[in-house]
Amino acid sequence: MTFRILPGSILNIATYPFVPPTTLSGFLRRLGMLSVGLEIPETRINKDDPPFYALPRHYVALGAYPSLNSWRGVHKTYRKGMREFNHDVFSRLYVEKDKANFQLHTWEYLIVEELTGYVVSESLQGLEHFQDLETYGCKLGKEGFAVVTEVFTPIELKRETVTAYPSTIVPMEALLQSSQFVGGCDIYNLYRYNWSAGSEIDSETEGFLDTNRTPVDGFIPFVAAYYSKVVNSAPTFDCYTDGEIYIPVSLVNLLRD
């Protein structure tokens, strides 16, 4: 799979070694549509005002990460690809014949057998709908396909300050504000949704199990740390945890705001 890092070179397509939060959100939203018999809408038709289809704001998708012993690394190869940034053939859900002008790229693929994704909510109400997404799959990222094989029952998390390896990425700003030495992690530029005014909704199914556009006004960049391996410098941070899962409070707040 390829989850393209932007901005980047048009000739060198690099990938994140995990599924970014916004990508997971869009993936789960599309599975929600499929689970109730709806057709996945095309997002590339209107280039002046492209629609967003993501989970409603009260479901915070935190990304998906390689499970233990399933990591096979990032593989770099060569392939033909787009010549210009506005060439969107590779990003379409429904690919048709296109006489595009291709060129040779270096292209990275994340090779992993299993990913674990996280979605948090302040309320238990509505989380049961995710159980219906099991066995559904669709395109995930710029290149790749994934199927949801298991949805765990909701887990109650408590807020604590711990020294541990985060289960997700951690906003760099939170680590730096705590005056910690940041070591043993990889640092990435990412993007989060810029939620429109009035994006809060009351129904847990509205904007999830339908084809309504998500009220988003583009993206906002942020920088995050990713602890992909065990090192000797686990960070101390405020998190939501059950003793096994460690979700940074700073990430939840950032993606929800």
Side-chain angles (χ1 to χ4, degrees):
M1 295 179 285
T2 299
F3 308 104
R4 189 179 182 189
I5 297 176
L6 291 172
S9 169
I10 188 65
L11 292 176
N12 300 292
I13 310 301
T15 184
Y16 296 105
F18 52 85
V19 183
T22 51
T23 305
L24 178 64
S25 181
F27 173 71
L28 295 177
R29 173 68 190 282
R30 286 164 173 79
L31 296 191
M33 296 178 191
L34 291 175
S35 71
V36 293
L38 298 173
E39 185 175 353
I40 299 177
E42 177 59 72
T43 60
R44 309 292 292 186
I45 296 176
N46 187 350
K47 295 184 179 181
D48 295 327
D49 183 26
F52 290 88
Y53 296 99
L55 292 177
R57 194 172 182 177
H58 55 272
Y59 298 127
V60 185
L62 305 174
Y65 304 86
S67 302
L68 292 177
N69 302 320
S70 73
W71 169 253
R72 297 295 179 266
V74 172
H75 174 68
K76 180 179 289 188
T77 186
Y78 296 93
R79 59 169 288 184
K80 289 183 178 180
M82 60 284 187
R83 183 173 292 275
E84 299 175 350
F85 279 109
N86 61 0
H87 177 196
D88 60 4
V89 172
F90 285 88
S91 298
R92 294 177 185 172
L93 290 171
Y94 306 104
V95 179
E96 300 176 355
K97 291 184 179 180
D98 190 286
K99 297 180 180 180
N101 189 8
F102 297 127
Q103 64 182 349
L104 188 64
H105 295 258
T106 58
W107 201 291
E108 290 185 351
Y109 292 97
L110 169 63
I111 301 176
V112 60
E113 295 178 4
E114 184 180 72
L115 295 157
T116 301
Y118 300 94
V119 177
V120 296
S121 176
E122 291 183 339
S123 171
L124 185 64
Q125 183 180 12
L127 290 177
E128 68 272 10
H129 296 298
F130 288 92
Q131 299 289 335
D132 299 329
L133 305 187
E134 284 191 358
T135 71
Y136 283 91
C138 71
K139 181 181 178 181
L140 178 61
K142 191 167 190 67
E143 292 287 341
F145 188 95
V147 175
V148 174
T149 58
E150 183 178 8
V151 178
F152 293 95
T153 56
I155 301 171
E156 183 178 4
L157 304 177
K158 297 182 179 180
R159 184 167 178 169
E160 297 180 11
T161 300
V162 301
T163 300
Y165 294 102
S167 300
T168 66
I169 54 176
V170 188
M172 280 294 296
E173 184 177 359
L175 293 176
L176 296 176
Q177 286 179 350
S178 61
S179 301
Q180 295 190 64
F181 172 75
V182 181
C185 64
D186 299 318
I187 300 174
Y188 293 96
N189 293 312
L190 291 110
Y191 298 84
R192 60 184 177 89
Y193 290 122
N194 181 21
W195 294 100
S196 306
S199 58
E200 293 291 352
I201 54 179
D202 296 327
S203 170
E204 70 270 9
T205 60
E206 183 182 350
F208 181 15
L209 306 181
D210 54 34
T211 56
N212 295 342
R213 294 176 56 156
T214 303
V216 169
D217 296 324
F219 298 91
I220 299 175
F222 71 99
V223 181
Y226 176 48
Y227 290 84
S228 60
K229 54 186 177 295
V230 175
V231 293
N232 295 324
S233 55
T236 299
F237 61 104
D238 199 11
C239 74
Y240 297 112
T241 181
D242 66 344
E244 296 182 3
I245 298 172
Y246 301 97
I247 304 296
V249 173
S250 58
L251 179 63
V252 176
N253 292 340
L254 182 71
L255 298 178
R256 182 178 54 187
D257 294 342

